[in-house]
Amino acid sequence: MPFPIHRPRRLRTTEAIRSLVRETRLSPTQFILPLFVCPGENVKREIRSMPGNYQMSIDTLVAECEEVRQLGIGGVILFGVPEHKDEIASGAYAEEGIVQRAIRAIKRATPDLLVITDVCNCEYTSHGHCGKIVDGDVDNDATLPWLAASAVSHARAGADIVAPSDMMDGRVRAIRDALDREGCLKTPILSYAAKYASGFYGPFREAAESAPQFGDRRSYQMDPANAREAMREIALDLEEGADMIMVKPALAYLDILAEARRRFDVPLAAYQVSGEFSMIMAAAQQGWIDGERIMMETLTAIRRAGADMILTYFAKPAARLLA
Ligand code: PBG
């Protein structure tokens, strides 16, 4: 009979003991903060559904990045809100595009802050879809050159890592080929390998002004019902040359994260997306939950499931709490 010999509560008696036997630890270096850059000067426009997150002009963004660096946060991932959108997403791969200029400015001011860029077209197309529209649907192969050009323009501007989030087939290969052809052999690819068509992206689409003007993203993002398919998506991206992989969203997909951790020996990221953040913030503002506590609990859960790094809008408050 285990009891009374075995009393698991012994190891929960004090914080000192709990801390000693804790299996999962959080560090600010594991967090990546998503940031939204927009045109203008001295702009800091709060995103209504994401308290504490802003659309920022480049000058404001640079100051924010200095703060992020001081907090010891692992890095930032940039999303662009361009001046103009068009049918061919030209702002996504323009040499002087909003993200390209932001990268250069950040690298001038804080050269050792890790800068990741989101590679996608939805913020830059007039219709809000992630690629070129042909006959009412996103044309996969016609979209690949846009993505490759975006990735190269980001790498040339100084991005440390490029992260394609569009879910086109073959995009990792197309991006790797283009980067290598242009001499960017050292730029790693963090692939949003298992990205689901999720309602949790709602607030982000307000932040990035990237909601599709017709239809939805179900013909390219994954069906939330599918787990085996995620493993196949990840395997394909690794074959195509992805250096790191991501599962997105995080909390509702911890099974996918855990299975990916078990199967693939590469760095694994999870994206705690806008809706996950906003739900916690909203409930906390109502006084229905303890926001700080749930922030740390969810981040711990995502790490426990197997993520090495977490893209999260909580990066700053969580880093402050861990300091
Ligand atoms: C771009 C992109 C999206 C997110 C990250 N990259 C939006 C989408 O796919 O609709 C969502 C991030 C979030 O909700 O925080 N394709």
Side-chain angles (χ1 to χ4, degrees):
M1 280 298 276
F3 177 82
I5 303 294
H6 293 286
R7 290 178 179 270
R9 287 183 58 190
R10 282 188 196 114
L11 296 184
R12 296 174 206 145
T13 316
T14 63
E15 178 50 29
I17 293 180
R18 289 193 295 271
S19 168
L20 187 71
V21 301
R22 190 157 292 138
E23 297 175 34
T24 307
R25 290 174 200 278
L26 291 176
S27 148
T29 56
Q30 299 153 347
F31 304 147
I32 295 157
L33 177 64
L35 293 174
F36 301 94
V37 56
C38 68
E41 249 174 78
N42 202 19
V43 180
K44 190 172 182 183
R45 205 179 302 128
E46 189 162 41
I47 299 151
R48 197 180 41 89
S49 52
M50 301 174 69
N53 288 266
Y54 305 85
Q55 290 182 345
M56 285 176 278
S57 52
I58 292 176
D59 51 339
T60 314
L61 185 81
V62 165
E64 175 82 2
C65 284
E66 174 55 27
E67 197 187 328
V68 168
R69 193 189 64 79
Q70 280 174 16
L71 285 166
I73 291 167
V76 296
I77 180 163
L78 299 182
F79 296 92
V81 185
E83 203 129 23
H84 305 289
K85 300 177 190 254
D86 58 31
E87 289 280 303
I88 58 165
S90 55
Y93 41 84
E95 179 89 30
E96 290 299 315
I98 185 74
V99 163
Q100 289 80 355
R101 283 187 285 133
I103 300 165
R104 286 187 215 108
I106 296 169
K107 282 293 169 186
R108 260 194 308 274
T110 45
D112 50 0
L113 178 70
L114 184 88
V115 175
I116 306 175
T117 55
D118 184 83
V119 175
C120 196
N121 299 303
C122 57
E123 296 119 69
Y124 306 94
T125 49
S126 41
H127 44 71
H129 276 288
C130 300
K132 183 173 183 180
I133 299 292
V134 177
D135 298 333
D137 189 21
V138 174
D139 188 291
N140 192 87
D141 297 13
T143 300
L144 299 180
W146 297 359
L147 297 165
S150 296
V152 168
S153 70
H154 294 168
R156 281 215 183 113
D160 295 293
I161 298 172
V162 293
S165 68
D166 51 282
M167 289 301 278
M168 295 304 120
D169 296 330
R171 92 304 198 165
V172 173
R173 176 78 195 275
I175 289 171
R176 186 72 268 159
D177 284 351
L179 287 171
D180 290 357
R181 209 181 318 118
E182 299 296 327
C184 307
L185 279 87
K186 291 187 186 159
T187 306
I189 299 174
L190 164 60
S191 151
Y192 287 69
K195 175 173 176 179
Y196 288 87
S198 170
F200 286 103
Y201 307 150
F204 173 94
R205 291 180 187 169
E206 180 198 331
E209 300 177 10
S210 66
Q213 301 302 302
F214 63 90
D216 54 42
R217 304 210 200 290
R218 282 177 237 229
S219 80
Y220 39 106
Q221 298 179 350
M222 284 183 57
D223 184 339
N226 292 359
R228 291 190 302 259
E229 188 188 353
M231 299 307 121
R232 178 165 155 71
E233 279 283 6
I234 293 170
L236 287 170
D237 281 10
L238 289 172
E239 275 174 41
E240 290 178 29
D243 300 279
M244 299 181 274
I245 53 173
M246 194 195 301
V247 172
K248 174 188 176 191
L251 203 57
Y253 298 83
L254 292 184
D255 57 329
I256 308 299
L257 210 48
E259 184 65 11
R261 172 74 302 156
R262 207 180 61 73
R263 290 207 205 183
F264 301 102
D265 292 324
V266 294
L268 177 60
Y271 198 146
Q272 182 176 48
V273 300
S274 56
E276 301 181 62
F277 170 83
S278 297
M279 289 196 310
I280 295 170
M281 292 300 284
Q285 283 177 354
Q286 294 284 324
W288 293 342
I289 58 167
D290 177 338
E292 273 191 357
R293 185 166 174 187
I294 294 210
M295 164 177 83
M296 297 315 266
E297 189 171 333
T298 53
L299 290 169
T300 301
I302 294 164
R303 288 265 304 136
R304 191 193 63 228
D308 298 303
M309 59 198 111
I310 307 174
L311 291 78
T312 175
Y313 302 96
F314 286 124
K316 280 169 55 183
R320 276 193 205 102
L321 219 61
L322 290 167

